[in-house]
Amino acid sequence: MPLDAPERQQEVFAAVLHVLAEVGYARFNMDLVASRARASKASLYQRWPSKARLITDALKANLPELPQPDEGTFAEDVRRILVAWGEPMPFDTAGIFLGLLEGSRQDADLAYLREKHIDRAYTLHLQVAVDRAKARGELPGDLDAGILITALISTFVLRSEEQDVVGGIVDGLLRPLIGTFRTK
């Protein structure tokens, strides 16, 4: 089956994400993907000229559908977004994110592609939630949304194996902080 077939592409993309999560970016290579996906290395390079582009396409094809909730509070909006991130995925999310971070430090092309195609898909919903919370007076207007969003994503990724990471972030971190920042 040719690599253009959607089913075949998904097989390749699944192999890409499993390899990235297992070996990281530095040891990731087309040979490992070709072996796992039962494809030729030449056909992979013909379609994807670099490992950064292959990884980015694999991630784009497997982005979860994220809600844009409006639950009336920042904490509940964040809860809904994080729950969507935590939906069962067939991939090691923490391993993938760590591989991306490692690779982004080494490969400017990956850093650019990750920021353009992947980061925005995850941060956009949180940015909207932060903006709404600021408008409602739940968060101070001068709060650095980028730092807050990075903290939420980092905490989620690094603790994603914990039993109730979403509850810990929302109820153990955000709710107490929001209570101290409420301006209304």
Side-chain angles (χ1 to χ4, degrees):
M1 185 180 313
L3 286 180
D4 290 349
E7 306 85 32
R8 186 68 179 121
Q9 269 191 6
Q10 191 52 43
E11 288 175 12
V12 170
F13 291 157
V16 166
L17 297 179
H18 284 294
V19 169
L20 178 63
E22 288 171 13
V23 304
Y25 190 78
R27 294 187 358 234
F28 180 98
N29 61 58
M30 294 294 198
D31 287 322
L32 292 171
V33 174
S35 174
R36 182 162 297 189
R38 297 175 323 280
S40 77
K41 186 167 94 170
S43 64
L44 293 176
Y45 271 117
Q46 185 175 29
R47 184 149 177 90
W48 296 281
S50 71
K51 67 181 184 177
R53 295 195 183 273
L54 175 57
I55 289 168
T56 303
D57 281 355
L59 288 165
K60 286 176 10 185
N62 286 282
L63 283 172
E65 289 207 23
L66 299 174
Q68 185 57 70
D70 188 359
E71 299 294 315
T73 69
F74 180 63
E76 290 309 310
D77 287 351
V78 169
R79 183 187 310 276
R80 291 271 317 277
I81 292 167
L82 296 183
V83 165
W85 290 357
E87 289 297 315
M89 291 193 60
F91 309 109
D92 173 6
T93 306
I96 290 168
F97 276 104
L98 291 173
L100 282 175
L101 292 175
E102 166 202 6
S104 294
R105 294 181 66 186
Q106 302 168 2
D107 184 332
D109 190 33
L110 179 66
Y112 170 77
L113 293 168
R114 188 205 80 227
E115 183 177 310
K116 181 177 179 186
H117 297 289
I118 309 306
D119 292 0
R120 288 184 185 161
Y122 282 92
T123 61
L124 176 66
H125 296 87
L126 287 171
Q127 182 65 55
V128 169
V130 167
D131 292 344
R132 276 197 209 122
K134 285 181 176 184
R136 287 190 298 256
E138 286 182 282
L139 296 174
D142 61 349
L143 175 87
D144 185 328
I147 298 232
L148 176 59
I149 290 168
T150 299
L152 291 170
I153 292 170
S154 300
T155 303
F156 181 82
V157 169
L158 293 174
R159 296 185 160 217
S160 62
E161 301 301 317
E162 291 182 11
Q163 182 74 17
D164 185 19
V165 66
V166 173
I169 292 170
V170 173
D171 299 323
L173 177 65
L174 287 182
R175 286 195 182 281
L177 286 175
I178 291 170
T180 63
F181 289 131
R182 188 166 297 280
T183 60
K184 290 184 177 177

